[in-house]
Amino acid sequence: MKSATQRGGGVILLSFVVALALTIMPLPGTLEALRPEWVIMVLVYWVMALPQRIGVGIAWILGLLLDVVRDALLGQYAIALALIAFIVINLHQRMRVFPIWQQALALALLVILQYILVFWIKGMTGELPSFWKMLLPAVSTLVFWTPVYLVLRQIRRRYQLS
Amino acid sequence: MLLLILLSVALMTMDHRTSYIHTIRSGIAVVVYPLQYAVNLPAELIGWASNTFVSRDELQKQNAELRTQNTLLKAQLQKLTFIEAENIHLRELLQSSRRAGERILIAELLAVDLDPYRKQIVIDKGSNHDDLYVGQPLIDAQGVMGKLTHVTPFSSTAQLITDPNHAVPVQVNRNGLRAVAIGTGEDSVELRHLPNNADIQRGDLLVSSGLGCVYPAGYPVATVTDVTTNPSLPFAEIIAEPVARLQRSREVLLVWPALANLPEMENPCEAHKRREEK
């Protein structure tokens, strides 16, 4: 039993690393505003699939890495990702049986939630970006959820992570 | 969950208000540096490939071009050495401060994207390479680019002059009118709080005035592209475009400004620095 719960940590870690790399991958100017939130997508998938392994703590550490990678105020993405993980853990049984487009919609809402938090924190520290620009990644995340979901599910089945 | 939220809030407050958190950030930055390196690798490879597989003709052409340019620059430099010597001499006659030379280090950009709502870049030099410091000015071959905001062992982050949180004290090269150029978040800067009748026009070159004790005086910052005067508003709206190629430069120069050595009076920049350190 124990070995089954410990297996595949490397694969999960690798998926997070790839998500972080995609987050800082340079994109041409106009596409940059449309960059999907890769880290949230991968995090939500793993929390949904393996809530007993990937929890709020891992989400928080991941957020801290995201803070440093994006050179944001230390802790702002950490708090957002921890909150997202918390919500998904509470709803994972419901979200698992959603059809995929409904999952994507829920995910877009979570991305917007993250941006509201980040927007709020930025507003308090005195740097206010345009709010509508912040909604674009929610749209692209919505679009990219299906392929990401299918790929990650394939990986999970292949390595029989549970 | 509550604990983590409290921890995040504590971290954010400390990061915003104090500089104690700096060591934690450096620690994490070392962990993510391989990631930045890996993401930068394709750009590096493309650069290497285009350098390696270039035809002989092209190289020869480039070589000839560079040689002409070199001759031209050298000719200008001859004059410059003479003028500099003369300048030092005249300043000595006037018994005023002498501007010593500035130390410069070349760094390369890492091709990584940061927070999309701010104008920032990452460079491949950190505290392991040289004594970089937070607030150090960054220029390219054309003009001022920005200043360092975080220095970690292997890489550093810099804020560009177009960042909305960035301001650089400038003066108009033509008549010495002082102003502050604030980033707009787009690819331009604006001069705020200049009256409608200020003597400024399209095409004016703005150079750093050296007043903020961050940027050394005399480096080109931006050229004025648009002056709108509306009598119903208290100030003119002045937009200027940075001279530095912020989006295109791959090599940047880190400058250690030489603080003017005033013999008797206390140097204002030194005093400012000491206050900052306290």
Side-chain angles (χ1 to χ4, degrees), chain A residues 38-104:
Chain A
W38 300 104
V39 175
I40 293 188
M41 281 197 270
V42 174
L43 176 73
V44 166
Y45 180 81
W46 288 123
V47 172
M48 213 164 69
L50 312 166
Q52 71 281 16
R53 290 183 66 179
I54 309 293
V56 176
I58 290 180
W60 190 77
I61 293 170
L62 196 65
L64 219 52
L65 290 178
L66 194 60
D67 278 327
V68 172
V69 155
R70 282 193 161 164
D71 201 62
L73 197 63
L74 211 58
Q76 74 181 33
Y77 285 103
I79 200 171
L81 288 196
L83 190 65
I84 287 175
F86 182 72
I87 293 170
V88 176
I89 282 180
N90 277 305
L91 297 178
H92 74 271
Q93 281 172 331
R94 219 183 295 175
M95 276 182 79
R96 272 183 195 170
V97 293
F98 277 172
I100 202 159
W101 61 268
Q102 214 168 328
Q103 280 179 357

Side-chain angles (χ1 to χ4, degrees), chain A residues 4 6 31 55 57 61 66 72 79 98 101 105 122 129-130 132 148:
Chain A
Q6 293 305 313
L31 287 182
I61 293 170
L66 194 60
I79 200 171
F98 277 172
W101 61 268
L105 273 180
K122 283 194 172 193
S130 130
W132 299 111
V148 169

Side-chain angles (χ1 to χ4, degrees), chain B residues 59-78:
Chain B
L59 277 180
Q60 272 175 341
K61 214 162 76 185
Q62 205 180 7
N63 202 344
E65 233 167 65
L66 285 176
R67 208 168 289 171
T68 357
Q69 208 178 359
N70 197 10
T71 320
L72 276 173
L73 287 176
K74 263 187 185 159
Q76 285 171 5
L77 203 63
Q78 285 171 12

